[in-house]
Amino acid sequence: MAQKIKLSTIADALKVSTATVSLALRDSPLVADQTREKIKEHARAIGYIYNRRAASLRTSRSGIVGVVVHDIMNPFFAEILRAIEGELDRSGQTFILSNHYDQLDKQRTFIETVLQLGGDGVIMSPAIGTPAEDIRMAEDNGLPVVLIARSVKDANVPVFRGDDSYGISLATNHLISLGHTRIAMVGGTDQTSTGRDRYEGYLLAMQKAGLEVKPEWRIPGPRTKQAGFDAAPQFLALKDHPTAAVCWNDLAAIGMMNGIARAGLLPGVDISVTGYDDLEEAAIATPALTTVWNGQREVGQRAARALLDQLNGADTHARQELIKPELRIRQSTSKPKER
Amino acid sequence: MAQKIKLSTIADALKVSTATVSLALRDSPLVADQTREKIKEHARAIGYIYNRRAASLRTSRSGIVGVVVHDIMNPFFAEILRAIEGELDRSGQTFILSNHYDQLDKQRTFIETVLQLGGDGVIMSPAIGTPAEDIRMAEDNGLPVVLIARSVKDANVPVFRGDDSYGISLATNHLISLGHTRIAMVGGTDQTSTGRDRYEGYLLAMQKAGLEVKPEWRIPGPRTKQAGFDAAPQFLALKDHPTAAVCWNDLAAIGMMNGIARAGLLPGVDISVTGYDDLEEAAIATPALTTVWNGQREVGQRAARALLDQLNGADTHARQELIKPELRIRQSTSKPKER
């Protein structure tokens, strides 16, 4: 580190806490104007370049970790969050949650709030289009970042996510092994690393098996039960009559099974459907959903531990840890039935 | 108010911000030891009794509202939270979320964290057994509290919840009007106001119709899909063969319908099932669930507005606002079929 002057140098000189110095340098309203100006003036005078990486040298932590995902109400994130919560709890850390709904400005506001609170770190599933600079900004301000579920190009921080390409190939190959040749893919988006990896995994599995893939067999979008439900008529109207659907996630798959049932067909018999994530409810759905276990608990635990290790001074380095998915075969898939 | 000395009196005297005074009086680690002692000494000297109700006189707010419920991953709360978030967002407030899982100590820790952060208020669905003192403690420390979903005896704060007794009577009367006479109640607990009100509403509706209620027709507990699923065999084994189940909530009802289907029977045909809440997925379940709309969005919006009004200096008073539930008839209920 080139940075030699520490926050404590300023704090000692001015007889204030390092937390106050840190807050003042970030223009926090929690510090009186007069104090803030005095601190900033002194910092300038001694040539302190504000870089909160130096904050790792702080002795006291706030005990607060920020967690931001697109939608905490999505059970996939709910399961990850529960695991994060369990780990943080054990270390006496409190977590502050927020949704960004894939809006960059909401994500930025949240990170700024965590900074203002003097938070210890951030675990995030980055919003679509998150630039590496946004993550660098947090890190430069002394806020270590750990990513879950999605990666960000050129962001030099730990990432914990499932191996999506491999996972979706498990579902696709399972359907192929049952005898399906016309398999559609329902849900997802090309705008995320997850979306691209899953579509690619499906394409590769089909190509490896020598099966044709028609562009119209991809119904992009659905990630919720409602959207999966709404996509069922579109799937059923496809002119080549695919006999199976590889769905983006369990929510879309369960919604789609409900939509297929509403159309008078039997999901798991007339149409085979696979999910992704193995949410708690996958096993009790009607029919029980064949899906891909995606290690939500592992992602949450490892991400929280990586952050805690970093807070405890461990020398962590940027790495992407891919959790190996597993196929869970249940009742929603069977041999193809011609319609 | 007896309190005449304001935080700003101390702040002005010591040339620090009121926020620093407030933090120091709460022993926040964000304030340097020396500063904190100076502030506390001065406060004692001028006879300041620390009471954060005086905090309403502060000119600046932190912009942070704490929200704590038993389980944010439960879609019922998720829908309330989304409404709260929408309201707070509009006013530029950030919200900090946490689960208490019905554990009083977790709830207390969270309230203390919000106090430490200088939060503006708390919206909570109180944990089972929350004493009125816990809410008074928060209020005495200048943190206004608004309750959602459950009330607390003797707590003198606004409460927003559905009219549970009336709501469950809508579901029960609907089944009675279809010709059902043996109706079980599945789920819920006597430990919450909601649980007591719903069971009482079911009992009253049965009694008004001159129908017998057997104690074994109550299967208490289930509040999740998994628990509803697990309760299905118990329900099906009841010796009087009830033909319908009034379920505690949509989750238990959907889980139970899945359990009934797993047992080879048709929910909505062989057994009528009603839910409660009208979650987004109730309408797309198989069969579509007859349920009671419980105004999650209204509860969330009104609770957030009540808190914001209070923060803006409105003279709010403790009141319980009961949202009037409505019946939503779908496919999961029909005339009784003898088994």
Side-chain angles (χ1 to χ4, degrees):
Chain A
M1 274 208 278
Q3 184 75 52
K4 288 288 168 50
I5 303 162
K6 300 175 187 176
L7 288 182
S8 57
T9 313
I10 303 171
D12 290 348
L14 301 179
K15 300 215 191 314
V16 295
S17 71
T18 51
T20 301
V21 174
S22 164
L23 287 168
L25 294 176
R26 278 185 273 120
D27 289 319
S28 164
L30 288 173
V31 180
D33 290 354
Q34 208 182 334
T35 313
R36 187 166 60 232
E37 279 318 307
K38 198 170 66 180
I39 290 167
K40 292 177 81 172
E41 206 176 286
H42 184 78
R44 271 191 300 270
I46 63 171
Y48 181 84
I49 296 152
Y50 185 48
N51 179 340
R52 286 270 321 272
R53 280 196 194 273
S56 61
L57 300 164
R58 281 183 301 173
T59 48
S60 76
R61 300 205 318 239
S62 66
I64 294 162
V65 170
V67 180
V68 61
V69 300
H70 7 311
D71 189 357
I72 52 178
M73 288 73 165
N74 178 325
F76 168 73
F77 285 110
E79 293 183 6
I80 292 181
L81 293 175
R82 232 187 267 276
I84 291 176
E85 191 179 27
E87 286 298 311
L88 294 180
D89 229 35
R90 242 192 296 284
S91 318
Q93 296 265 340
T94 306
F95 81 163
I96 296 176
L97 270 180
S98 197
N99 298 314
H100 54 55
Y101 299 119
D102 277 323
Q103 291 164 30
L104 284 177
D105 58 335
K106 276 188 87 83
Q107 181 172 284
R108 282 179 192 136
T109 302
F110 180 74
I111 292 176
E112 277 158 22
T113 302
V114 177
L115 278 170
Q116 249 171 33
L117 293 173
D120 296 332
V122 163
I123 299 175
M124 60 193 273
S125 172
I128 289 176
T130 298
E133 291 76 52
D134 280 21
I135 289 164
R136 221 169 285 138
M137 185 279 285
E139 294 247 315
D140 285 350
N141 281 283
L143 203 66
V145 175
V146 171
L147 301 183
I148 49 173
R150 296 171 177 174
S151 46
V152 168
K153 204 167 167 296
D154 301 327
N156 202 27
V157 294
V159 183
F160 298 87
R161 49 181 290 222
D163 185 341
D164 291 296
S165 174
Y166 173 75
I168 210 85
S169 78
L170 293 176
T172 313
N173 287 333
H174 165 64
L175 290 166
I176 293 170
S177 74
L178 284 169
H180 294 270
T181 55
R182 300 191 308 282
I183 303 169
M185 171 143 190
V186 176
T189 161
D190 274 346
Q191 295 180 280
T192 64
S193 53
T194 327
R196 289 186 295 270
D197 289 358
R198 289 197 195 161
Y199 187 57
E200 195 182 299
Y202 152 80
L203 282 182
L204 276 173
M206 293 291 279
Q207 283 161 3
K208 261 191 201 159
L211 295 173
E212 190 192 9
V213 175
K214 300 209 177 171
E216 62 267 31
W217 291 356
R218 183 177 199 195
I219 302 178
R223 293 192 282 175
T224 63
K225 276 185 195 167
Q226 185 69 54
F229 183 82
D230 294 340
Q234 192 183 341
F235 170 84
L236 294 173
L238 287 173
K239 72 171 166 16
D240 300 294
H241 297 295
T243 55
V246 169
C247 292
W248 165 257
N249 62 9
D250 286 357
L251 296 178
I254 292 171
M256 191 160 161
M257 291 203 300
N258 285 332
I260 289 168
R262 198 62 59 89
L265 295 169
L266 277 179
V269 177
D270 296 318
I271 304 286
S272 287
V273 175
T274 62
Y276 203 103
D277 289 339
D278 196 23
L279 298 179
E280 281 169 18
E281 73 173 288
I284 64 166
T286 303
L289 184 65
T290 296
T291 186
V292 178
W293 173 85
N294 195 15
Q296 287 86 284
R297 198 188 304 175
E298 281 66 17
V299 167
Q301 282 177 345
R302 291 197 206 174
R305 273 186 214 144
L307 184 65
L308 291 169
D309 286 350
Q310 210 163 332
L311 295 180
N312 290 327
D315 185 23
T316 57
H317 50 282
R319 63 189 187 279
Q320 169 153 303
E321 276 193 27
L322 289 182
I323 278 93
K324 208 84 185 159
E326 291 171 20
L327 186 67
R328 299 273 187 268
I329 300 175
R330 299 199 181 100
Q331 308 167 333
S332 68
T333 46
S334 59
K335 287 191 196 316
K337 189 170 155 186
E338 292 303 321
R339 287 190 281 149
Chain B
M1 272 206 279
Q3 183 75 54
K4 287 288 167 53
I5 304 162
K6 300 175 187 176
L7 288 182
S8 57
T9 313
I10 303 170
D12 290 347
L14 301 179
K15 299 213 191 318
V16 294
S17 71
T18 52
T20 301
V21 174
S22 165
L23 288 167
L25 293 176
R26 279 184 272 120
D27 289 320
S28 163
L30 289 174
V31 180
D33 291 352
Q34 207 181 337
T35 312
R36 188 167 59 231
E37 279 319 306
K38 199 170 66 180
I39 289 168
K40 292 176 82 171
E41 206 176 284
H42 184 77
R44 270 191 299 272
I46 64 171
Y48 181 84
I49 297 151
Y50 184 48
N51 179 339
R52 285 272 319 273
R53 279 196 194 273
S56 62
L57 301 164
R58 279 184 302 174
T59 47
S60 75
R61 301 206 316 243
S62 67
I64 295 163
V65 170
V67 180
V68 61
V69 300
H70 7 310
D71 189 357
I72 53 177
M73 287 75 165
N74 177 324
F76 168 74
F77 285 111
E79 293 183 6
I80 292 181
L81 293 174
R82 231 187 267 276
I84 291 176
E85 191 180 26
E87 286 298 311
L88 294 180
D89 228 37
R90 242 192 297 282
S91 319
Q93 295 266 339
T94 305
F95 81 163
I96 295 177
L97 270 181
S98 197
N99 297 314
H100 54 58
Y101 298 118
D102 276 323
Q103 291 165 28
L104 284 176
D105 58 334
K106 276 189 87 86
Q107 182 173 285
R108 282 180 193 136
T109 302
F110 180 73
I111 292 176
E112 277 159 20
T113 303
V114 177
L115 277 170
Q116 248 170 35
L117 293 174
D120 297 331
V122 163
I123 299 174
M124 60 193 273
S125 172
I128 289 176
T130 298
E133 291 76 54
D134 280 22
I135 289 165
R136 222 168 286 138
M137 185 280 284
E139 294 246 317
D140 285 350
N141 281 284
L143 202 66
V145 174
V146 171
L147 301 184
I148 49 172
R150 296 172 176 174
S151 46
V152 168
K153 206 169 166 294
D154 301 328
N156 201 26
V157 294
V159 184
F160 298 87
R161 47 180 292 222
D163 185 341
D164 291 296
S165 174
Y166 173 75
I168 211 86
S169 78
L170 294 176
T172 314
N173 287 333
H174 165 65
L175 291 166
I176 293 170
S177 74
L178 285 169
H180 293 270
T181 56
R182 300 192 307 282
I183 303 169
M185 171 141 189
V186 177
T189 161
D190 274 346
Q191 295 180 278
T192 64
S193 53
T194 327
R196 290 187 294 270
D197 289 358
R198 289 196 195 162
Y199 187 57
E200 196 181 298
Y202 152 78
L203 282 182
L204 276 173
M206 293 292 278
Q207 283 162 4
K208 263 193 200 159
L211 295 174
E212 190 192 9
V213 176
K214 301 211 175 169
E216 61 268 30
W217 292 356
R218 182 177 199 195
I219 301 178
R223 293 193 281 175
T224 63
K225 276 185 195 167
Q226 186 68 52
F229 183 81
D230 294 340
Q234 192 183 341
F235 170 85
L236 294 173
L238 287 173
K239 72 171 166 19
D240 300 293
H241 298 297
T243 54
V246 169
C247 292
W248 164 258
N249 61 11
D250 286 356
L251 296 178
I254 292 170
M256 189 158 162
M257 293 203 300
N258 285 332
I260 289 168
R262 198 62 59 90
L265 295 169
L266 276 179
V269 177
D270 296 318
I271 303 286
S272 286
V273 176
T274 62
Y276 204 104
D277 290 340
D278 196 23
L279 298 179
E280 281 169 18
E281 73 173 289
I284 62 166
T286 302
L289 185 65
T290 296
T291 187
V292 178
W293 174 85
N294 195 15
Q296 287 85 282
R297 198 189 304 175
E298 280 66 18
V299 167
Q301 282 177 344
R302 291 196 206 174
R305 274 185 214 143
L307 184 65
L308 291 169
D309 286 350
Q310 211 163 330
L311 295 180
N312 290 327
D315 185 22
T316 57
H317 51 281
R319 65 189 185 280
Q320 169 152 302
E321 277 193 27
L322 289 182
I323 279 91
K324 208 82 185 159
E326 292 170 20
L327 185 67
R328 299 271 188 269
I329 300 174
R330 299 199 180 100
Q331 308 167 331
S332 68
T333 47
S334 59
K335 288 190 197 315
K337 188 170 157 186
E338 291 304 319
R339 287 190 279 150

